[in-house]
Amino acid sequence: MLVLSLSSINSHATERQDHSQHAEHPVKMGLHGMLLFGSQYGLFASHLPMFHQPHNAQVVYQLSFADPKIQAEVIKGIRASANSHDPVWTIVPTTFDLSLLDPQPPQNITQLTVDVVKGHFERGGEMQWQAQTINVDKMELFTLLPLESGLAKEANNHYLNLNYQPNDEVQFLVNTLTSRPDADHIVRLDEVNASLPKTVTLAAEQHLFNTEAQLSSALPDVTSVQRIYLELGELK
């Protein structure tokens, strides 16, 4: 069963964030690797989360490189990898406190210094550029994750839709995390022919994520749905 919700994902995220804050499990200083993805329309990053400190947060944001030449080269590289067997790119910021990306505190940071890796930075990826400055342009999702095991799971999976403009032909869906176990699942939507809702909700059917085929069936105005990233092992 499919539910397309026009409400912002932020309200859904805020509820989970408040629950986690009450549990007193803030994120902390660490090496916070992030998935880097995007298209000709722009770039996004998604922190690679875990259900333990200091990585217990799902953080997704729009970004741009301070150097426009690097920006263009990164987009070119990501587009070239999009249809390959390994479309993954990652960025590795210098060690910092992840909570400083929370858009709520007044001291939140808006720039990071990162290395850019083609592939997963911990799984044989190839360094492309080092010590590049990125701008955190817009926070899409910042949700603290609970550390406890055995919490009740929802009956649905909620996917956050990412785009720069509603008419972007390339957009992305990010599975929003709730409690362990879960699935860090990100897909690319090509040839989007209609405006999509901010939240796409599908019945979980006892699964942590919905397959690309299920998502494609639920989105008839999208020509193709391709997996960019799926991580289960780090989220048990």
Side-chain angles (χ1 to χ4, degrees):
M1 179 179 179
L2 167 68
V3 179
L4 297 182
S5 171
L6 294 174
S7 63
S8 170
I9 194 73
N10 290 335
S11 61
H12 183 65
T14 301
E15 293 177 3
R16 297 203 301 269
Q17 181 173 327
D18 291 345
H19 170 83
S20 299
Q21 287 175 331
H22 292 160
E24 298 181 352
H25 297 316
V27 289
K28 296 181 179 179
M29 188 75 69
L31 187 67
H32 297 290
M34 302 178 182
L35 187 75
L36 177 65
F37 58 100
S39 68
Q40 65 269 33
Y41 301 104
L43 296 171
F44 299 92
S46 176
H47 170 245
L48 302 176
M50 302 178 189
F51 285 102
H52 63 74
Q53 293 174 319
H55 302 296
N56 56 306
Q58 185 173 25
V59 184
V60 183
Y61 59 91
Q62 295 181 12
L63 68 95
S64 58
F65 283 81
D67 186 335
K69 293 182 179 179
I70 297 296
Q71 171 91 358
E73 288 298 315
V74 169
I75 290 176
K76 180 180 177 181
I78 288 176
R79 292 183 68 186
S81 300
N83 296 315
S84 70
H85 70 282
D86 186 10
V88 170
W89 284 64
T90 50
I91 52 175
V92 188
T94 54
T95 301
F96 77 108
D97 185 342
L98 190 62
S99 67
L100 293 179
L101 286 179
D102 187 335
Q104 298 304 317
Q107 72 272 21
N108 65 300
I109 57 178
T110 58
Q111 286 190 326
L112 294 170
T113 300
V114 305
D115 294 339
V116 182
V117 180
K118 181 181 180 182
H120 196 298
F121 75 102
E122 292 181 319
R123 301 173 186 173
E126 300 176 1
M127 182 71 68
Q128 303 296 302
W129 296 277
Q130 293 180 292
Q132 297 296 316
T133 300
I134 62 169
N135 303 307
V136 179
D137 295 327
K138 180 184 178 183
M139 189 59 57
E140 296 278 1
L141 179 65
F142 187 101
T143 307
L144 294 181
L145 302 176
L147 306 186
E148 298 85 352
S149 299
L151 298 178
K153 301 291 287 187
E154 294 188 31
N156 297 317
N157 293 325
H158 303 276
Y159 282 82
L160 170 65
N161 174 231
L162 299 178
N163 54 44
Y164 275 77
Q165 299 294 331
N167 60 349
D168 289 351
E169 291 187 358
V170 180
Q171 301 182 29
F172 302 89
L173 295 181
V174 177
N175 186 33
T176 57
L177 307 178
T178 56
S179 60
R180 67 169 72 209
D182 217 324
D184 189 8
H185 184 219
I186 300 176
V187 300
R188 173 188 171 110
L189 310 178
D190 285 301
E191 298 184 37
V192 179
N193 299 311
S195 180
L196 300 179
K198 189 62 177 177
T199 308
V200 176
T201 301
L202 290 87
E205 298 177 352
Q206 298 184 338
H207 295 287
L208 301 176
F209 67 99
N210 294 94
T211 66
E212 288 73 38
Q214 289 172 329
L215 290 167
S216 182
S217 295
L219 300 169
D221 294 313
V222 175
T223 298
S224 71
V225 179
Q226 296 184 349
R227 180 179 300 178
I228 297 176
Y229 189 73
L230 175 64
E231 177 60 51
L232 299 170
E234 300 286 358
L235 294 167
K236 292 181 179 179

